[in-house]
């Protein structure tokens, strides 16, 4: 069972740069074809500083920062028994190639169902950019099958 | 441009069907999504984890739901996106995303619509049940 004392724990900030190549490869991976995610001139014409990151890109930044697996490792949970159960994004500002983002993650809940056969780990992460703008809030639920 | 006043609760937005999920796509997503969990690329690891086989990243159908929204309105108008991953997607699955308006409201001068969004597989099974809020223009 996951130790409930982890609820409320805050992790040190992590930083990641939204590289142009990363935005393009992410857009390609989800089968995106709109030129706004690949061609900077199209993105600029639409009013963006550079290529916009697709709506679910912020979660890739969390994974790139090892934020999700770090907690599983800390708790001694086998990744193969962990699955993503729920995800939300609230957007506050554009996220574009060239941005350098700082994320701060904390654990907000741990609970179980089916007498502990399923455990749920809920975290929230706030992302801010290099100009101090609040970019996005993420809430992640990971399900562990015991 | 989609005017706020023309939108009615109950309206559907244009649905979207994606090409079948391939192993290549899962490999690309493992890289670009920085999710190297072996259950998405390695059959033996998935089975060792108690799964029937390789499963797609939950973030892949959610990425499709994001596209459902950005094909309807410019991305900057998307205020929030969320989903519960109620069933797994597997390689070969053909995912259809759909959405309908469930609410209209004005908040801090912005005209907002709330949507329920769904990702289903080719059997019509719900894989993801989600919500989104989108800002529309007033005229």
């Amino acid at each position: 069972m996951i130790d409930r004392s982890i609820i409320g724990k805050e992790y040190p900030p992590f930083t990641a740069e939204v590289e142009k190549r990363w935005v393009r490869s992410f857009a390609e991976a989800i089968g995106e074809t709109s030129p706004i995610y690949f061609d900077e001139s199209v993105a600029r014409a639409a009013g963006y500083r550079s290529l916009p990151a697709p709506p679910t890109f912020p979660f890739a930044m969390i994974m790139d920062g090892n934020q999700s697996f770090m907690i599983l490792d800390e708790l001694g949970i086998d990744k193969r028994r962990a699955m993503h159960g729920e995800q939300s994004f609230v957007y506050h500002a554009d996220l574009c190639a060239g941005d350098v983002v700082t994320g701060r993650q904390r654990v907000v809940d741990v609970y179980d169902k089916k007498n502990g056969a399923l455990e749920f780990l809920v975290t929230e992460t706030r992302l801010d950019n290099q100009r101090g703008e609040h970019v996005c809030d993420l809430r992640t639920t990971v399900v562990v099958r015991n | 441009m989609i005017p706020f006043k023309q939108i009615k609760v109950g309206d559907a937005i244009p649905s979207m069907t994606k090409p079948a999920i391939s192993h290549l796509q899962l490999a690309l997503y493992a890289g670009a999504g920085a999710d190297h969990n072996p259950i998405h690329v390695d059959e033996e690891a998935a089975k060792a984890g108690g799964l029937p086989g390789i499963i797609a990243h939950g973030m892949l159908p959610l990425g499709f739901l994001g596209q459902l929204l950005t094909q309807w309105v410019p991305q900057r108008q998307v205020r929030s996106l969320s989903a519960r991953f109620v069933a797994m997607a597997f390689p070969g699955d053909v995912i259809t995303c759909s959405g309908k308006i469930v609410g209209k409201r004005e908040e801090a001068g912005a005209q907002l619509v709330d949507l329920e969004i769904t990702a289903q597989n080719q059997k019509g099974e719900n894989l993801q049940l989600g919500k989104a809020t989108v800002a529309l223009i007033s005229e």
Side-chain angles (χ1 to χ4, degrees):
Chain A
M1 296 288 280
I2 299 172
D3 185 348
R4 289 342 189 223
S5 69
I6 197 171
I7 297 169
K9 180 166 181 180
E10 296 189 17
Y11 291 86
F14 65 98
T15 297
E17 182 178 351
V18 183
E19 296 153 335
K20 242 179 261 184
R21 185 174 179 278
W22 190 8
V23 171
R24 290 193 184 107
S25 63
F26 185 88
E28 183 189 359
I30 60 172
E32 182 58 78
T33 54
S34 168
I36 205 167
Y37 301 106
F38 298 94
D39 182 337
E40 199 162 27
S41 63
V42 174
R44 288 222 166 100
Y48 289 104
R49 297 184 289 277
S50 179
L51 304 177
T56 56
F57 186 90
F59 189 76
M61 305 200 78
I62 286 188
M63 295 303 289
D64 184 69
N66 196 35
Q67 297 296 297
S68 194
F69 290 160
M70 169 183 72
I71 299 182
L72 297 180
D73 288 344
E74 175 186 342
L75 293 168
I77 293 168
D78 181 345
K79 285 196 241 325
R80 297 173 304 181
R81 298 206 166 271
M83 284 193 304
H84 202 165
E86 202 164 332
Q87 181 62 45
S88 77
F89 301 88
V90 179
Y91 306 103
H92 304 289
D94 290 346
L95 179 64
C96 292
D99 286 354
V100 178
V101 168
T102 300
R104 291 173 180 83
Q105 178 176 237
R106 63 198 178 97
V107 177
V108 294
D109 202 6
V110 175
Y111 59 94
D112 65 276
K113 289 182 180 173
K114 300 182 181 172
N115 292 319
L118 295 174
E119 288 190 286
F120 298 79
L121 174 68
V122 186
T123 62
E124 288 182 355
T125 305
R126 173 187 167 122
L127 301 182
D128 294 275
N129 68 19
Q130 70 280 11
R131 288 184 298 278
E133 294 165 335
H134 185 186
V135 174
C136 184
D137 289 308
L138 298 91
R139 184 179 171 96
T140 304
T141 302
V142 171
V143 184
V144 181
R145 293 165 298 121
N146 289 318
Chain B
M1 298 276 244
I2 295 154
F4 181 70
K5 63 184 175 187
Q6 285 181 17
I7 294 286
K8 296 187 299 292
V9 170
D11 283 355
I13 66 170
S15 63
M16 179 190 78
T17 298
K18 297 292 290 183
I21 294 171
S22 66
H23 287 284
L24 173 61
Q25 184 166 35
L26 297 183
L28 291 174
Y29 194 85
D35 185 340
H36 304 164
N37 194 328
I39 62 176
H40 305 302
V41 290
D42 180 338
E43 191 80 20
E44 283 180 25
K47 286 181 172 160
L51 296 166
I54 285 174
I55 64 167
H57 302 81
M59 286 306 295
L60 190 57
L62 186 50
F64 299 164
L65 286 169
Q67 285 173 268
L68 174 78
L69 301 174
T70 58
Q71 289 190 2
W72 185 54
V73 295
Q75 185 177 333
R76 195 173 272 151
Q77 293 173 226
V78 178
R79 298 295 176 86
S80 67
L81 166 65
S82 67
R84 279 191 303 124
F85 303 169
V86 295
M88 294 178 277
F90 298 94
D93 279 357
V94 175
I95 309 294
T96 296
C97 296
S98 58
K100 68 172 183 186
I101 311 295
V102 294
K104 286 178 74 172
R105 58 198 163 96
E106 298 198 28
E107 195 178 284
Q111 267 110 19
L112 304 176
V113 294
D114 297 311
L115 298 103
E116 279 179 7
I117 52 177
T118 308
Q120 291 187 323
N121 65 15
Q122 64 282 2
K123 297 174 205 156
E125 295 164 338
N126 290 330
L127 302 186
Q128 300 196 353
L129 299 175
K131 294 177 181 173
T133 298
V134 168
L136 295 181
I137 54 162
S138 52
E139 292 302 320

